[in-house]
Amino acid sequence: MEYLLERISVDPNICFGKPCIKGTRIWVALILDFLAAGNTFEEILEAYPYLSQEDILACIGYGAAMSREHFVNINMAIA
């Protein structure tokens, strides 16, 4: 998974420092939101043809890595 995470960048000068797919201004969170809403890889790649399947996998990997370190209060997220 390390090689996938190299596809993610965090730069305080780009998108307010939010994690993005390297070389784009596409937030990791945006891709994860699409996946959580039920969008398929194919639908995401159709909407963003300059992305690759590996970029989407990198977003999932980043989300997994973050969940090992940070927790979201589910009650707060639903409200």
Side-chain angles (χ1 to χ4, degrees), residues 20-72:
C20 293
I21 298 170
K22 195 174 281 185
T24 76
R25 292 180 178 270
I26 305 295
W27 294 357
V28 168
L30 176 67
I31 300 302
L32 294 176
D33 284 342
F34 283 144
L35 292 168
N39 292 92
T40 65
F41 278 36
E42 292 77 19
E43 290 170 330
I44 295 169
L45 294 173
E46 186 176 310
Y48 299 94
Y50 44 88
L51 297 182
S52 68
Q53 180 172 328
E54 289 78 16
D55 292 327
I56 298 172
L57 291 172
C59 292
I60 295 169
Y62 185 87
M66 290 300 293
S67 72
R68 285 189 278 284
E69 300 295 324
H70 303 281
F71 298 92
V72 175

Side-chain angles (χ1 to χ4, degrees), residues 70-77:
H70 303 281
F71 298 92
V72 175
N73 182 337
I74 299 300
N75 293 329
M76 295 293 291

